[in-house]
Amino acid sequence: MRALLLEGGLTYRTDVPEPLLGAGEALIRLNLAGICATDLQLLNGYVGFSGVPGHEFVGVVAAVNEDKHRHWLGRRVVGSINIGCNHCETCMNQGPEHCLRRTVLGIRGKNGVFADYFSLPVDNLHVIPDDVSDREAVFTEPLAAALRVVEQLRSRPFGAVAVLGPGRLGLLIAKVLSLAGYQVTVLGRSEAALVLPRQWQLATALVAEVPDNGHDCVVDATGTPSGFAQALRILRPLGTLILKSTFSAQETIDLSKIVVAEIHVLGSRCGSFADALAVLRQKTVAVEELIDGCHALQDGLLAFEQASRRGVRKILLQPD
């Protein structure tokens, strides 16, 4: 089958074997996939992944290996990306997201979705409602990740939140926080980067003009060490930093303010797909406005090059 393969560098291949199904898995035919910041970081050596990358997808179930799952055949689906061992205490009590033996679709020990076909456990799948298009549904995973921030802040008394990084994920985070009642300011490096946030009726500011020590809560969605440093700069002592960035960095990062100012650091990762699909059905987040291009799988190298350009938001891949 055709696939993008990461082995030292990224290549387009036509000779990659179709995945063999494990117990409880489904074979899924790709309809549409999205390139995210984590995919770009994998090319820079993040977590040392090799194989087929990609984890944001819309697909159709083409095969299952157990009769009890035949009702999934032909269903249009998205799927959560963490696959736990299903035996440890973490899996039993909290779910697979923090299982120490987990694999992660297209990121850790599990081939991903930038291919004609890929596999996932049926338990990870969610049927896409008929009134949600493929171009909307491909945002389920990043929208779920954005909603995770809302969930984590529910018990915290912040009325105002700054979101640093008006890119693919940062805009989704800012919008769902705004819908949840927070006063949100989107911070970017250029006026051009702030055009779409303003169209979404979000307050904006240039991060370089934001004074030091002025915010109680900052979400870093930049995916860069420099963004992390800016987030620390603008936080008040005893403030809360929510890290939504994963990056492979070679440069030194100064963490002294976390200690001296007693900054609370909160990591944030995956969220509920069911909640994300519900938001997509409500049409309250104009996700399709984030799409800056769509390429055939065979043009995947060009798609990655475009996705890596500054100011480009969501680039999609499709089989043909």
Side-chain angles (χ1 to χ4, degrees), residues 216-240:
D216 290 318
C217 182
V218 176
V219 181
D220 173 22
T222 63
T224 66
S226 60
F228 176 80
Q230 288 277 33
L232 280 181
R233 178 184 69 79
I234 66 178
L235 269 168
R236 289 192 179 106
L238 301 176
T240 294

Side-chain angles (χ1 to χ4, degrees), residues 4-11 13 39-46 48-53 301:
L4 299 182
L5 195 63
L6 179 59
E7 289 182 339
L10 188 68
T11 59
R13 301 279 292 274
D39 299 318
L40 297 174
Q41 290 298 325
L42 292 177
L43 271 63
N44 296 326
Y46 174 64
F49 175 79
S50 63
V52 179
L301 301 186

Side-chain angles (χ1 to χ4, degrees), residues 34-101:
I35 299 173
C36 85
T38 300
D39 299 318
L40 297 174
Q41 290 298 325
L42 292 177
L43 271 63
N44 296 326
Y46 174 64
V47 302
F49 175 79
S50 63
V52 179
H55 57 275
E56 301 176 2
F57 75 89
V58 175
V60 174
V61 176
V64 294
N65 66 355
E66 298 179 30
D67 283 343
K68 66 180 180 179
H69 295 143
R70 289 187 61 81
H71 63 282
W72 283 96
L73 292 173
R75 306 299 290 271
R76 192 170 59 111
V77 296
V78 292
S80 55
I81 67 176
N82 296 284
I83 306 160
C85 70
N86 294 322
H87 300 295
C88 68
E89 183 178 349
T90 299
C91 282
M92 294 297 98
N93 295 324
Q94 300 168 9
E97 286 77 16
H98 299 291
C99 171
L100 296 180
R101 293 190 289 274

Side-chain angles (χ1 to χ4, degrees), residues 22-242:
E25 285 195 325
L27 182 70
I28 302 163
R29 183 178 70 252
L30 180 67
N31 277 10
L32 198 61
I35 299 173
C36 85
T38 300
D39 299 318
L40 297 174
Q41 290 298 325
L42 292 177
L43 271 63
N44 296 326
Y46 174 64
V47 302
F49 175 79
S50 63
V52 179
H55 57 275
E56 301 176 2
F57 75 89
V58 175
V60 174
V61 176
V64 294
N65 66 355
E66 298 179 30
D67 283 343
K68 66 180 180 179
H69 295 143
R70 289 187 61 81
H71 63 282
W72 283 96
L73 292 173
R75 306 299 290 271
R76 192 170 59 111
V77 296
V78 292
S80 55
I81 67 176
N82 296 284
I83 306 160
C85 70
N86 294 322
H87 300 295
C88 68
E89 183 178 349
T90 299
C91 282
M92 294 297 98
N93 295 324
Q94 300 168 9
E97 286 77 16
H98 299 291
C99 171
L100 296 180
R101 293 190 289 274
R102 75 185 182 278
T103 58
V104 185
L105 181 68
I107 298 174
R108 176 177 171 174
K110 174 74 172 174
N111 276 338
V113 308
F114 296 153
D116 285 321
Y117 293 92
F118 54 94
S119 64
L120 258 184
V122 167
D123 288 345
N124 287 57
L125 301 182
H126 296 259
V127 175
I128 301 169
D130 291 340
D131 53 354
V132 175
S133 70
D134 282 2
R135 285 167 66 91
E136 292 169 324
V138 77
F139 286 91
T140 304
E141 193 277 338
L143 184 57
L147 289 167
R148 176 64 174 157
V149 177
V150 178
E151 180 183 2
Q152 290 173 304
L153 286 180
R154 277 198 188 112
S155 61
R156 297 171 182 264
F158 301 114
V161 180
V163 177
L164 183 57
R168 308 167 184 86
L169 182 56
L171 259 177
L172 294 177
I173 294 169
K175 187 62 177 179
V176 296
L177 283 169
S178 177
L179 291 171
Y182 293 90
Q183 295 174 305
V184 179
T185 303
V186 179
L187 306 178
R189 292 183 295 185
S190 69
E191 289 291 346
L194 299 176
V195 171
L196 187 54
R198 290 175 185 143
Q199 291 175 358
W200 283 16
Q201 306 301 308
L202 296 166
T204 64
L206 293 171
V207 66
E209 298 177 0
V210 175
D212 296 354
N213 306 307
H215 288 273
D216 290 318
C217 182
V218 176
V219 181
D220 173 22
T222 63
T224 66
S226 60
F228 176 80
Q230 288 277 33
L232 280 181
R233 178 184 69 79
I234 66 178
L235 269 168
R236 289 192 179 106
L238 301 176
T240 294
L241 171 61
I242 301 174

